């Protein structure tokens, strides 16, 4: 099957992050197995979602993992001019459809290149690693990376995560952590503000603490100029609390996210915040013994990517992508999760992130061509006995 035909098939599965992906993963599995390659599914506990991995080529150390996700973001509330789950060629050099660029375009390139990979005399193996639930917090990546490490007797050396990067090698990604904080105060008439504990007043104090923490990191020159912005960010995106202007709020709650540059430690920031919360609890329990602040994970942390420019994977991705300009991103991806397993990782894939997650998402046809060229070059590299 040609790459566009495969992409049309992949786009036709409307699998959103968080939903069962068995339909699309079963189609991919059958396609790969029709080329006489054995696949392995890594199922979730409920058995309704699965990642897939497989190896093409010899069982020797030093191979390359090609990683992609099978889920997409919702289309609800977006103004699409075509059916988002039907790949549409409007004759303008672009193929429209949800996931066409993020990131079924890359997965289609992998699958379209499979017959050539099978035919080639590979000296080092290629692995496919296709996950689910990436768009709801990269939930399946860590388990998939571990499954590959334990399943095969040999060890892969590199991972290329095909997120849309206009084929530019991406070597850095911020860590992301989303949290929720609940404040439990005491209700009462607003005139009694000194006798009760307002959950809103305390939540605001915590929010200010978080903003001050971010500013302190910047003042301390904790900067990594590879990123835009170059500092870790702490942001509160949603606040709830209170019922009326003359009622002291007994409950308040806010969502926040933490996007950390590699030199900053998410855990340290959160534990400093927790220490401040305990301080406030001790203080305010003198007024209201039931006062409590609780912070929970909204999403498990997605670890940063911090690939060094001198790492071999960078040279490899430069050669096969034809691009030597390195970049970093501030969105979440599975690259750091593969790197955490000791696999040198970089992001590089067809299409632009500017088209991702929005109405009328598309991939330019020439980007798909470049994606296929990268596959061809990878096959040539891995067929050489000089490949390291
Ligand atoms: Zn993606």
């Amino acid at each position: 099957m040609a790459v566009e035909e495969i992409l049309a098939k992949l786009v036709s599965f409307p699998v959103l992050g968080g939903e069962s992906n068995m339909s699309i993963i079963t189609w991919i599995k059958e396609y790969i197995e029709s080329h006489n390659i054995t696949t392995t599914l890594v199922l979730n506990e409920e058995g309704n979602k699965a990642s897939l991995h497989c190896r093409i080529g010899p069982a020797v150390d030093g191979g390359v993992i090609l990683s992609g996700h099978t889920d997409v973001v919702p289309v609800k509330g977006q103004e699409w001019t075509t059916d988002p789950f039907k790949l549409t060629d409007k004759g303008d050099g672009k193929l429209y459809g949800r996931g066409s660029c993020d990131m079924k375009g890359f997965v289609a390139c992998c699958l379209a290149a499979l017959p050539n990979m099978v035919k080639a005399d590979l000296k080092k193996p290629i692995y496919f690693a296709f996950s689910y639930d990436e768009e709801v917090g990269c939930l399946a990546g860590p388990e998939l990376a571990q499954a590959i490490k334990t399943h095969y007797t040999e060890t892969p050396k590199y991972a290329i995560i095909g997120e849309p990067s206009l084929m530019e090698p991406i070597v850095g990604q911020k860590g992301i952590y989303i949290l929720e904080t609940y404040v439990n105060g005491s209700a009462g008439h607003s005139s009694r503000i000194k006798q009760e504990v307002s959950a809103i007043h305390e939540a605001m104090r915590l929010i200010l603490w978080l903003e001050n923490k971010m500013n302190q990191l910047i003042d301390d020159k904790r900067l990594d100029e590879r990123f835009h912005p170059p500092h870790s960010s702490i942001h509160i995106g949603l606040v709830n609390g209170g019922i009326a202007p003359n009622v002291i709020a007994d409950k308040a709650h806010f969502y926040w996210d933490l996007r950390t540059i590699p030199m900053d430690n998410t855990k340290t920031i959160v534990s400093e915040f927790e220490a401040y919360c305990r301080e406030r609890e001790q203080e305010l329990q003198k007024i209201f013994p039931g006062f409590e602040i609780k912070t929970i994970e909204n999403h498990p942390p997605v670890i940063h990517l911090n690939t060094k420019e001198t790492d071999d994977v960078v040279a490899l991705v430069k050669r096969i992508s034809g691009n030597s300009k390195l970049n970093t991103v501030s969105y979440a991806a599975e690259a750091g999760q593969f790197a955490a397993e000791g696999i040198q990782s970089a992001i590089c894939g067809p299409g632009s992130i500017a088209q991702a997650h929005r109405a009328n998402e598309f991939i330019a046809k020439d980007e798909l061509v470049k994606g296929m060229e990268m596959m061809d070059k990878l096959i040539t590299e891995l067929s050489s006995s000089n490949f390291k």
Side-chain angles (χ1 to χ4, degrees):
M1 281 172 88
V3 64
E4 287 184 23
E5 205 184 331
I6 295 175
L7 181 56
K9 188 72 204 175
L10 296 177
V11 166
S12 76
F13 294 100
V15 174
L16 308 184
E19 296 180 352
S20 168
N21 73 329
M22 293 314 287
S23 56
I24 186 168
I25 210 76
T26 304
W27 185 85
I28 292 173
K29 177 181 159 70
E30 286 167 5
Y31 171 90
I32 296 171
E33 290 182 348
S34 75
H35 293 85
N36 295 319
I37 297 295
T38 309
T39 63
T40 304
L41 292 184
V42 184
L43 283 150
N44 68 341
E45 249 172 57
E46 294 78 26
N48 64 345
K49 297 175 188 174
S51 296
L52 173 149
H53 62 81
C54 66
R55 182 188 62 225
I56 307 117
V60 296
D61 291 346
V64 179
I65 298 170
L66 300 177
S67 141
H69 59 84
T70 58
D71 60 317
V72 294
V73 294
V75 295
K76 220 178 136 198
Q78 296 184 337
E79 287 189 19
W80 283 75
T81 56
T82 61
D83 179 349
F85 298 107
K86 187 172 181 297
L87 192 70
T88 305
D89 184 348
K90 291 193 204 165
D92 56 0
K94 300 166 183 172
L95 297 168
Y96 294 83
R98 171 55 85 226
S100 54
C101 125
D102 185 10
M103 60 183 289
K104 291 174 172 175
F106 178 78
V107 176
C109 290
C110 295
L111 296 176
L114 178 63
N116 285 341
M117 293 172 183
V118 172
K119 252 186 278 161
D121 180 19
L122 295 176
K123 302 292 188 295
K124 301 280 186 191
I126 295 172
Y127 304 81
F128 290 165
F130 300 143
S131 68
Y132 60 90
D133 281 359
E134 197 269 356
E135 294 291 7
V136 288
C138 301
L139 301 183
E143 198 186 9
L144 176 56
Q146 280 161 23
I148 290 175
K149 290 273 306 249
T150 53
H151 180 85
Y152 299 98
T153 50
E154 77 283 1
T155 310
K157 185 171 179 193
Y158 306 112
I160 298 170
I161 290 76
E163 286 287 336
S165 74
L166 286 171
M167 304 302 295
E168 274 182 18
I170 306 290
V171 293
Q173 159 210 325
K174 285 187 182 178
I176 299 176
Y177 197 17
I178 303 176
L179 300 130
E180 290 177 50
T181 297
Y182 290 83
V183 184
N184 188 50
S186 57
H189 191 277
S190 57
S191 61
R192 286 176 46 80
I193 184 64
K194 285 293 185 190
Q195 285 77 46
E196 306 288 348
V197 179
S198 161
I200 290 182
H201 286 217
E202 276 312 303
M204 295 307 135
R205 214 183 299 279
L206 301 179
I207 289 170
L208 255 188
W209 186 95
L210 290 168
E211 187 179 322
N212 289 340
K213 178 70 202 174
M214 171 171 65
N215 291 336
Q216 184 205 320
L217 290 169
I218 298 168
D219 290 346
D220 290 348
K221 297 275 179 301
R222 300 192 66 83
L223 304 172
D224 186 334
E225 298 296 342
R226 295 175 301 167
F227 293 92
H228 312 283
H231 57 84
S232 295
S233 59
I234 305 177
H235 165 256
I236 292 83
L238 196 150
V239 182
N240 281 315
I243 52 165
N246 56 354
V247 179
I248 295 168
D250 60 344
K251 300 239 178 324
H253 146 242
F254 59 92
Y255 283 95
W256 49 294
D257 80 342
L258 197 56
R259 292 173 186 256
T260 45
I261 53 175
M263 75 169 76
D264 286 337
N265 189 323
T266 307
K267 280 193 187 137
T268 311
I269 296 171
V270 174
S271 65
E272 284 175 31
F273 175 70
E274 289 284 6
Y276 179 65
C277 292
R278 300 296 81 79
E279 233 177 77
R280 292 306 299 163
E281 278 178 347
Q282 274 191 357
E283 186 62 31
L284 292 158
Q285 279 165 1
K286 291 177 196 159
I287 303 172
F288 170 57
F291 180 74
E292 199 186 21
I293 305 166
K294 215 157 76 187
T295 296
I296 60 164
E297 258 180 24
N298 179 274
H299 272 302
V302 179
I303 193 170
H304 63 255
L305 173 71
N306 190 24
T307 300
K308 287 197 224 64
E309 284 187 31
T310 49
D311 283 351
D312 292 338
V313 70
V314 176
L316 169 66
V317 175
K318 278 183 184 175
R319 290 197 302 275
I320 64 174
S321 68
N323 272 321
S324 54
K325 194 175 142 257
L326 303 180
N327 229 322
T328 62
V329 291
S330 295
Y331 57 76
E334 292 170 336
Q337 299 174 333
F338 281 93
E341 290 299 316
I343 300 164
Q344 288 189 31
S345 303
I347 297 170
C348 185
S352 164
I353 196 71
Q355 269 88 55
H357 297 202
R358 56 199 300 164
N360 305 312
E361 174 180 349
F362 66 83
I363 189 161
K365 286 186 180 186
D366 61 355
E367 283 292 307
L368 274 186
V369 171
K370 287 181 196 165
M372 290 307 292
E373 283 169 1
M374 178 163 86
M375 295 297 156
D376 285 343
K377 286 187 187 155
L378 179 66
I379 294 169
T380 308
E381 289 266 346
L382 297 180
S383 303
S384 155
S385 22
N386 296 328
F387 184 80
K388 281 197 196 100

